[in-house]
Amino acid sequence: MKVSDLPPPVERDANFNFAYLDERTKRMIRRAILKAVAIPGYQVPFGSREMPLPYGWGTGGIQVTASIIGPDDVLKVIDQGADDTVNAVNIRRFFQRTTAVAVTSVTTEATIIQTRHRIPETPLHDGQVMVYQVPLPEPLQKLEPREAETRVMHGLADYGLMHVKLYEDIARFGHIATTYDYPVMVDGRFLMAPSPIPKFDNPKMHMNPALQLFGAGREKRIYAIPPWTSVESLAFDDHPFEVQRWSEPCALCGATDSFLDEVITDDRGGHMFVCSDTDHCRLNRQDDDR
Amino acid sequence: MNVSIDLSGLGAGFADASIGSQTVFRHCLDALSHPGKVIAVEPSITLSTPAEMHRPAAAILLALLDQDTRLWLSPALRGGDAGSFLRFHTGCTLVETPASADFGLAASGADLPPLTDFAAGSESYPDRSATLVVQCAALTAGSGWTLTGPGIRDRARLSAEGIGSTFTSQWAANRAGFPCGVDVFFASADALAALPRTTRLEG
Amino acid sequence: MYVAVKGGERAILNSYALLAQARRGDASVPELTLDQIQQQLRLSVDRVMCEGSVYDPELAALAIKQAAGDLVEAIFLLRAYRATLPRLGYARPLDTADMRLWRRISATFKDLPGGQVLGPTYDYTQRLLDFTLAASGEAQAGPVASPQSEAGAVPRVVDLLGNEGLIESHEPSPGDPEPVDLTRVPISFPADRAARLQNLARGDEGFLLAMGYSTQRGYANSHPFAGEIRFGLVDVEIEPEELGFPVSIGEIEITECQMVNQFAGSKTEPPKFTRGYGLAFGASERKAMGMALVDRALRATELGEAADSPAQMQEFVLSHTDNLEASGFVQHLKLPHYVDFQSELELVRKMRAAMPESGAEAA
C-alpha cells in the first residue's frame, strides 16, 4: 500500500545525471561507503561535493543516498521522524526530480530511508538501508576540536577523554547529561556519534538487521554500522544507560512506546504529547479504526 | 605501467554505465554487509569480458574503478586483455607492485600473493587499504568455512572453491590487524561474495 | 484537536513564487542584464568567481542576479554548478612575471624596474558620495586604457630580493609532486602549503581579512611589508599529452600579493626575509593581502616560531575559511530541532524537579 498523501510520481529532470551526481563522484563515494562498512564506526574521509542544498542541511546524507539509489528503490525521507516537515519534503522532491524513484512514507515499504534526528519506531528489516544525515561526525570534537588529535585517539582506541566527560556529568548532576547524539561504541572498537537522534533511539541501532550509513557532507566523512552489529551506548556499571520515558501516551494514537514531541496548545501552559514518528502514529490510528 | 590500448579486440562494458555501476555496487554493498552471502550477479549485467576474467570480477571492477584508482593484476592476467579492458573502461592506472594498489585482481587463489603484500592502511587511516577481487571456481553458501562478525546474525557458512589452504591462517592475521587490513571479494563464474576485514573464519 | 502541520510541499512552492517576486522588485524598473552586472558590478563578479572557484564572469553575473546581490549566496550557486562540471585537465602553473599589468605597486621600494603603476584603484579617491552617479550623469569618457605590456616581463620584487639572497627561495619539493586537489579530496592535517594556499584561495574574504588583521594586532605579529601587489592579465596554458608543448587556452585577470616578512634567523640560518603569498581572481586586493598575511602566519611552525595565536593554528583557520560550510551550518539552526529540544526539555525539568527548592532561588 502506497500512501496517498505523498505527491504523485514526477518525471525525471533530464538536465541532470541520474541521482544528480556525476558517475565519477558516485564511484568515489561508493568506495568510501564500502570502506565504512568494512571498518564499522570508523569515519572515512571522502571528497564531499558542493550540493544544491546548503551544508548542514543533509548534504552528506544526500550524497550517500544519491550514490546507492537505483531505479527500483523505494525512498522514504524523514526529518524529526516526520515525512512532511519542509526539509524532508525538499530532499524527497530533489530525489524525485533527479531519479523519479517511487517514494513512500510507510517505513516497511521503503528500501532506503534517509533520516535526520530519528530512527523510525517500526522495526527495520534485512535489506533496508538507513541513511543518517550527520552534522558533527566526530564524537570527541566537543572535547578536543583538533582532528590531528582525535584521529590518534581513535587509532589507539583511547577514549578516556569521553569517559572523563561522562563521569564529570555524574559527579555534577548525578546522571549523564547527554540526551541526544549520545556516544556509542561500535563492535567494541570505534567510538561513534549516532548523529543527533535522541538517546531514546540508541538501542534500535544495536543488532539492527538493516544497514546503517552515515553521511557528513560539510565535515566530509562517511561511516557505517553493518547489519547485526553490536552498538553499545556508553555507561558505567553504577550508572546504566537509560532512555527517556513519558508519563502520558500519544494524544493522537495512544502509543506509550514511542518518542513523543511536546506541542504547545495555548499560552496558558497547555500542552500535549504526540508521536514524533508520523508513520507510526498513522498506523496505530488505522489499527484502532479496524 | 601504461599499456597502449588496442581498441579492436576490446569487449563491451556496461550497457548503461550509470545503472550498471549502481546495480553492481549494490551487489557489492549487500555482499560486504552480509559476509558469506552468495549473490548472483544480475543477468542484465552483460559484459564481454576477456576470457580469463569472470563476469562478476569484471563487473565489480567496472563499477568501482576510475581515473583515481590504481589496480594490480596477478601474474596470470598480465599477458591477456584484462589490463587493457579495465583501463579502457575505467581509466584506472595499472601498478606493478601489490603494495601500491587500491585494488588487486587475482586470476585464482593460486595466483594471489600473501595478503600482507597489499596495503592495509594505518592506525590513523585504516581506510587507505587495498580491496582484493579473487576469482574462484565456485561459491557455495551453507558449507565450508564458518563465519562470524558484523553483518552476520549468528554464523554463516561459505565455501570458495580453489582458494587454497593457507588462506584461513592468512585471514586470521588480517583479522588480528583490525582496524587495518584488506577486504576481499570472491568472484565465481556468475556470483560474488565478500569478506570484510571484520569477519572471523574457521574451518 | 491538534493536527500535525501538513502542506510542506505547498509552502515550499509558495516561497519560490514569493522569492521570485522579491528578487525582481518593482517591475516598472528595467530588469538588470548580465552585461550590466559584468560591466558595472565587476568587483562583485570577481569575488564570486574567486570564492566560487570558477573563472566565468557571465555565470558569476547570473549567480549575482539570481541571488539578488547576496554574494555569499551567489558563490554557493556557482560552486554547486561547478561540482557537476567534468574535469578535463590541469593547467600549467601561471607565470605571474609575464602578466600584462593594470596595476603594480611595491611598498618596499620607491622605484624599481617596471615602475610603480597605480592603475584603477579606490585607494586615493576621496570617499565622498558622487551624486552625479545618482543622477545618471556619467559623462566623462576618457581615453580607452589598456594594460601595460610594453617591454615584456616585469620582474617581481621578491625575485629582485632573491638575486641578493635576502629572501627565502621556494624550490619545488623533490620530484615536484602533484599538489593535492582540495575540490576532490578532503583536507588532512597537518596540511602542506599547497593545500593551505588552495584552501585560502577559496576562503571567505571577510574571514581572511579579519584573521590577517589579527596578526597585525599582536596575535602572531610577523612584521609584514607589502613587497608587491600586481593586478593584470595572465595566460592560462595547458600541455596536452599528445602535443608535448603548451598551448594558451585564454587569459584571466588576477591579483597577486607577495608579503615580505622579517625573519630573525636562527643558529643555522642567517637573518633574511620570508614570504606570505596571496592570489585571487580578478581585482581582489583586500582578499589577496589578507590571504598573504594568513599564509605567512600559518608557516609559524615551519619557521620555528611559536604557534599560539589563532591565525597560526592551521586546523582552526583552514576548517573555518569556507563560507559555504559556515553559512550552511550556522543557518541549519533554522531547521526543526524539536526532537533534540524535547530531550533537553525533559532533562532540564528532571534536573529542576530533583532540586529541593526548585525555582525558589531564581525568585
Side-chain angles (χ1 to χ4, degrees):
Chain A
M1 176 212 63
K2 296 274 186 294
V3 168
S4 57
D5 62 356
L6 287 185
V10 296
E11 292 268 309
R12 200 184 122 201
D13 187 334
N15 288 313
F16 301 100
N17 193 25
F18 182 83
Y20 183 77
L21 297 174
D22 62 279
E23 292 302 311
R24 201 168 154 189
T25 296
K26 284 189 214 167
R27 265 163 223 257
M28 175 272 295
I29 295 172
R30 287 167 182 164
R31 292 192 296 263
I33 292 172
L34 293 179
K35 284 289 193 312
V37 171
I39 317 170
Y42 166 75
Q43 302 162 50
V44 182
F46 81 109
S48 178
R49 304 287 192 255
E50 284 94 349
M51 298 298 290
L53 276 76
Y55 282 126
W57 297 53
T59 56
I62 291 169
Q63 288 181 81
V64 169
T65 298
S67 301
I68 64 175
I69 201 166
D72 300 332
D73 276 307
V74 179
L75 178 69
K76 172 179 166 78
V77 181
I78 50 173
D79 188 338
Q80 313 295 298
D83 298 85
D84 52 10
T85 43
V86 273
N87 196 43
V89 169
N90 199 26
I91 291 171
R92 188 168 58 232
R93 273 169 49 84
F94 174 76
F95 280 112
Q96 285 185 293
R97 192 171 156 194
T98 57
T99 66
V101 296
V103 295
T104 185
S105 64
V106 180
T107 300
T108 50
E109 282 179 356
T111 56
I112 299 173
I113 302 172
Q114 179 165 331
T115 182
R116 177 169 171 266
H117 295 194
R118 277 310 311 275
I119 301 176
E121 310 289 4
T122 311
L124 303 176
H125 59 77
D126 185 22
Q128 287 184 309
V129 184
M130 276 287 286
V131 177
Y132 295 79
Q133 300 171 199
V134 182
L136 297 168
E138 177 48 71
L140 298 164
Q141 192 182 60
K142 286 186 175 149
L143 309 174
E144 170 52 75
R146 289 168 297 184
E147 189 208 326
E149 300 293 326
T150 55
R151 190 164 281 284
V152 172
M153 292 178 196
H154 285 295
L156 301 173
D158 172 8
Y159 298 129
L161 198 61
M162 181 58 84
H163 285 106
V164 169
K165 189 261 173 197
L166 297 180
Y167 190 77
E168 281 174 355
D169 270 10
I170 293 171
R172 190 161 161 218
F173 308 114
H175 53 84
I176 292 169
T178 300
T179 57
Y180 60 91
D181 212 348
Y182 188 105
V184 295
M185 282 294 280
V186 179
D187 195 32
R189 175 57 181 81
F190 279 100
L191 185 71
M192 191 195 93
S195 88
I197 55 171
K199 65 178 182 175
F200 179 89
D201 284 340
N202 276 24
K204 298 174 186 167
M205 300 185 130
H206 178 64
M207 295 303 271
N208 195 308
L211 170 64
Q212 302 175 73
L213 301 176
F214 299 78
R218 188 180 44 78
E219 297 280 347
K220 305 174 177 60
R221 297 291 184 271
I222 286 172
Y223 52 103
I225 304 172
W228 307 115
T229 298
S230 155
V231 180
E232 271 185 85
S233 302
L234 294 191
F236 296 95
D237 286 343
D238 49 347
H239 283 90
F241 175 77
E242 282 174 352
V243 300
Q244 297 98 324
R245 294 275 170 237
W246 284 260
S247 48
E248 303 173 41
C250 167
L252 297 180
C253 75
T256 52
D257 58 350
S258 62
F259 188 92
L260 301 178
D261 290 330
E262 184 171 339
V263 179
I264 296 175
T265 49
D266 57 39
D267 58 1
R268 297 178 303 277
H271 60 179
M272 64 194 275
F273 289 94
V274 296
C275 288
S276 115
D277 182 337
T278 48
D279 178 55
H280 180 73
C281 196
R282 183 190 55 77
L283 266 180
N284 281 341
R285 278 176 281 157
Q286 213 165 52
D287 289 347
D288 291 348
D289 291 347
R290 275 199 206 123
Chain B
M1 161 169 100
N2 276 337
V3 180
S4 66
I5 295 179
D6 173 15
L7 296 179
S8 60
L10 277 181
F14 293 128
D16 179 327
S18 178
I19 303 304
S21 308
Q22 188 272 338
T23 305
V24 175
F25 165 72
R26 284 291 278 276
H27 287 337
C28 295
L29 184 62
D30 193 15
L32 205 67
S33 308
H34 300 91
K37 181 175 177 181
V38 176
I39 295 161
V41 173
E42 282 264 331
S44 63
I45 304 300
T46 54
L47 301 169
S48 320
T49 56
E52 63 275 27
M53 284 178 77
H54 293 173
R55 184 174 64 104
I60 293 170
L61 293 172
L62 290 195
L64 297 179
L65 299 185
D66 60 20
Q67 296 93 319
D68 296 328
T69 49
R70 293 155 299 179
L71 171 70
W72 176 87
L73 294 174
S74 71
L77 295 169
R78 304 257 175 101
D81 293 332
S84 44
F85 175 81
L86 292 168
R87 250 181 67 74
F88 174 74
H89 286 297
T90 71
C92 69
T93 306
L94 297 177
V95 295
E96 294 281 0
T97 55
S100 47
D102 303 306
F103 285 82
L105 172 62
S108 64
D111 214 22
L112 177 68
L115 296 181
T116 48
D117 283 6
F118 294 93
S122 63
E123 280 198 335
S124 292
Y125 290 96
D127 56 304
R128 295 179 181 173
S129 57
T131 302
L132 309 182
V133 179
V134 183
Q135 302 193 139
C136 63
L139 286 168
T140 319
S143 67
W145 298 318
T146 300
L147 287 61
T148 53
I152 303 166
R153 184 175 193 168
D154 301 307
R155 53 199 62 244
R157 310 278 315 263
L158 175 70
S159 151
E161 200 178 307
I163 286 307
S165 54
T166 67
F167 186 79
T168 43
S169 60
Q170 285 199 58
W171 189 257
N174 188 60
R175 175 69 190 79
F178 188 84
C180 299
V182 300
D183 308 305
V184 172
F185 285 94
F186 294 117
S188 69
D190 55 4
L192 60 90
L195 295 182
R197 64 193 77 180
T198 46
T199 302
R200 291 177 178 82
L201 274 191
E202 281 170 50
Chain C
M1 184 160 96
Y2 170 81
V3 181
V5 182
K6 294 257 173 204
E9 177 106 17
R10 203 175 59 239
I12 289 174
L13 293 177
N14 286 342
S15 88
Y16 288 175
L18 287 171
L19 180 66
Q21 225 172 56
R23 182 186 61 72
R24 180 62 181 87
D26 183 347
S28 67
V29 176
E31 187 179 346
L32 267 177
T33 68
L34 298 191
D35 281 344
Q36 287 170 340
I37 296 171
Q38 270 186 75
Q39 294 302 317
Q40 298 175 41
L41 296 176
R42 68 184 176 90
L43 297 180
S44 294
V45 168
D46 287 350
R47 177 169 177 200
V48 170
M49 291 196 301
C50 187
E51 291 169 41
S53 309
V54 177
Y55 196 95
D56 189 321
E58 196 176 344
L59 285 179
L62 171 60
I64 291 166
K65 178 173 177 177
Q66 190 177 331
D70 177 343
L71 297 190
V72 175
E73 181 69 23
I75 289 162
F76 182 7
L77 291 168
L78 200 55
R79 285 261 205 105
Y81 174 77
R82 177 192 194 281
T84 65
L85 298 177
R87 179 136 324 208
L88 301 177
Y90 288 87
R92 286 159 50 86
L94 301 179
D95 183 0
T96 54
D98 231 355
M99 281 169 70
R100 289 173 296 291
L101 298 168
W102 286 108
R103 168 165 166 80
R104 186 274 192 121
I105 55 162
S106 169
T108 50
F109 296 99
K110 185 174 182 185
D111 198 7
L112 67 171
Q116 307 257 21
V117 183
L118 210 50
T121 175
Y122 281 95
D123 284 353
Y124 303 102
T125 58
Q126 293 169 6
R127 264 68 166 207
L128 303 171
L129 278 175
D130 180 354
F131 293 100
T132 57
L133 292 179
S136 309
E138 255 179 312
Q140 64 282 53
V144 177
S146 59
Q148 171 187 320
S149 59
E150 87 286 3
V154 176
R156 288 172 296 216
V157 168
V158 288
D159 296 335
L160 302 172
L161 284 167
N163 293 340
E164 224 182 308
L166 290 172
I167 194 163
E168 59 178 345
S169 65
H170 283 304
E171 300 304 322
S173 310
D176 196 8
E178 289 271 318
V180 65
D181 181 348
L182 288 185
T183 66
R184 326 278 306 168
V185 178
I187 196 163
S188 58
F189 298 107
D192 66 17
R193 191 162 178 225
R196 299 197 303 256
L197 287 170
Q198 267 181 65
N199 173 290
L200 299 179
R202 286 158 61 89
D204 182 76
E205 178 176 316
F207 177 78
L208 294 178
L209 179 68
M211 293 308 287
Y213 176 45
S214 76
T215 70
Q216 293 178 287
R217 292 194 66 262
Y219 294 95
N221 196 357
S222 54
H223 309 280
F225 296 95
E228 179 170 6
I229 294 160
R230 49 173 64 198
F231 160 56
L233 291 155
V234 66
D235 283 328
V236 178
E237 296 179 334
I238 56 164
E239 191 170 329
E241 222 175 303
E242 59 274 20
L243 283 187
F245 57 86
V247 289
S248 170
I249 55 168
E251 57 180 14
I252 60 174
E253 269 185 345
I254 58 169
T255 303
E256 183 186 56
C257 172
Q258 299 256 13
M259 286 286 175
V260 173
N261 303 70
Q262 240 179 54
F263 176 60
S266 64
K267 280 182 185 144
T268 51
E269 280 186 87
K272 61 182 170 188
F273 293 104
T274 56
R275 313 195 217 175
Y277 188 75
L279 187 80
F281 282 157
S284 307
E285 244 166 55
R286 193 186 298 119
K287 162 78 184 265
M289 293 178 77
M291 174 175 168
L293 290 175
V294 176
D295 170 49
R296 176 59 183 79
L298 288 173
R299 297 181 58 209
T301 314
E302 167 203 339
L303 294 167
E305 300 165 347
D308 39 23
S309 292
Q312 296 168 316
M313 298 176 178
Q314 58 161 278
E315 277 220 43
F316 176 78
V317 173
L318 301 178
S319 303
H320 301 114
T321 49
D322 193 280
N323 58 28
L324 257 62
E325 292 173 9
S327 162
F329 200 47
V330 166
Q331 297 203 58
H332 108 286
L333 294 172
K334 290 183 280 194
L335 291 177
H337 281 79
Y338 50 78
V339 165
D340 295 348
F341 187 70
Q342 186 62 46
S343 302
E344 293 285 273
L345 205 57
E346 186 246 10
L347 177 72
V348 171
R349 281 188 183 134
K350 191 169 127 193
M351 283 160 63
R352 286 172 63 93
M355 286 178 79
E357 326 85 57
S358 172
E361 284 183 29

